[in-house]
Amino acid sequence: GENVEQHPSTLSVQEGDSAVIKCTYSDSASNYFPWYKQELGKGPQLIIDIRSNVGEKKDQRIAVTLNKTAKHFSLHITETQPEDSAVYFCAAASGGGADGLTFGKGTHLIIQP
Amino acid sequence: KAGVTQTPRYLIKTRGQQVTLSCSPISGHRSVSWYQQTPGQGLQFLFEYFSETQRNKGNFPGRFSGRQFSNSRSEMNVSTLELGDSALYLCASSAGQGARNEQFFGPGTRLTVL
């Protein structure tokens, strides 16, 4: 089945700086890659996603890039703010989407004031 | 539009008991998927229901089961609870079948097994 690796597990950045979280996947048939933000006591919130026919997607301060050849995708957050502090998960859908989403282990993003 | 709701939010059970969790999807969504979240294993897919039928299943024992009603609401049941079943159980709502559709998560049910 699919395997998703996510790095780093913890990331601390100064407010206003950029943050980058990286994920790799194993199944070349995967073609949908969402990113989720989870705050304490809440469920994961979909923040951005990308499909394999697109190399990059941007939504205000958040962007995602996908390299199908290398099988990795990344989340970029610019001009970080205190409310960006949370745990971020990458995920991949493979097997025709029949196996559910396979998630990375998460990155705890800490924004230092 | 209201989001995904899950009840109850917290539950405490003892080993050997069974438990039923409920999920109401976003209005108009016909797919409900269930995930288990633990510190050690992270987020893992349990199963997906679409149009009242289980479409996909993850690698969990038969003690974990579910169903979906005609109004798309779904329930998940865990029988003969074990200590290792302590987790946050999340349901995700989607307009279409399969993980390649956008999935929106509820707040989860925190299950503690003593």
Side-chain angles (χ1 to χ4, degrees), chain B residues 8-26:
Chain B
R9 292 294 311 276
Y10 302 91
L11 208 48
I12 299 176
K13 292 286 187 179
T14 56
R15 280 182 298 173
Q17 287 187 309
Q18 73 166 15
V19 66
T20 299
L21 313 181
S22 180
C23 172
S24 292
I26 293 170

Side-chain angles (χ1 to χ4, degrees), chain A residues 29-32 36 38 41-46 49 51 57 89 93-105, chain B residues 9-10 35 37 40-45 48 55-58 88 90 97-108:
Chain A
S30 291
N31 70 356
Y32 175 62
Y36 287 88
Q38 187 173 27
K42 297 185 178 180
Q45 174 194 1
L46 179 66
D49 57 14
R51 299 188 186 270
K57 184 177 179 180
F89 293 94
S94 65
D99 299 326
L101 289 171
T102 301
F103 284 85
K105 293 296 188 188
Chain B
R9 292 294 311 276
Y10 302 91
Y35 290 82
Q37 185 175 28
Q41 298 300 316
L43 281 148
Q44 293 184 287
F45 172 70
E48 178 192 12
R55 303 291 178 162
N56 305 300
K57 192 176 190 308
L88 181 66
L90 295 157
Q97 178 190 341
R100 296 179 179 185
N101 293 281
E102 291 179 336
Q103 296 191 40
F104 301 91
F105 283 84

Side-chain angles (χ1 to χ4, degrees), chain A residues 6-22 35-40 47 61-63 75-90 105-113:
Chain A
Q6 181 171 348
H7 300 280
S9 56
T10 303
L11 178 60
S12 181
V13 301
Q14 290 294 125
E15 182 179 349
D17 287 351
S18 296
V20 180
I21 301 170
K22 298 182 179 182
W35 285 88
Y36 287 88
K37 174 185 180 183
Q38 187 173 27
E39 296 173 285
L40 205 58
I47 56 172
R61 297 186 297 108
I62 293 174
L75 178 71
H76 304 252
I77 305 175
T78 58
E79 299 172 9
T80 53
Q81 300 168 4
E83 53 265 36
D84 294 330
S85 293
V87 179
Y88 291 79
F89 293 94
C90 62
K105 293 296 188 188
T107 295
H108 186 193
L109 176 62
I110 302 165
I111 309 299
Q112 304 279 7

Side-chain angles (χ1 to χ4, degrees), chain B residues 37-109:
Chain B
Q37 185 175 28
T38 59
Q41 298 300 316
L43 281 148
Q44 293 184 287
F45 172 70
L46 280 154
F47 33 63
E48 178 192 12
Y49 283 85
F50 182 83
S51 294
E52 301 177 64
T53 303
Q54 187 181 93
R55 303 291 178 162
N56 305 300
K57 192 176 190 308
N59 189 25
F60 278 83
R63 301 186 296 109
F64 292 82
S65 63
R67 59 177 176 169
Q68 187 180 34
F69 302 94
S70 57
N71 62 356
S72 294
R73 189 177 69 85
S74 176
E75 288 182 347
M76 190 191 96
N77 185 76
V78 189
S79 63
T80 320
L81 285 166
E82 301 176 358
L83 295 179
D85 297 333
S86 293
L88 181 66
Y89 289 90
L90 295 157
C91 80
S93 162
S94 178
Q97 178 190 341
R100 296 179 179 185
N101 293 281
E102 291 179 336
Q103 296 191 40
F104 301 91
F105 283 84
T109 294

Side-chain angles (χ1 to χ4, degrees), chain A residues 58-73:
Chain A
K58 191 173 181 180
D59 182 4
Q60 298 181 2
R61 297 186 297 108
I62 293 174
V64 57
T65 57
L66 171 65
N67 183 326
K68 285 190 298 182
T69 303
K71 288 193 274 188
H72 68 69
F73 56 114

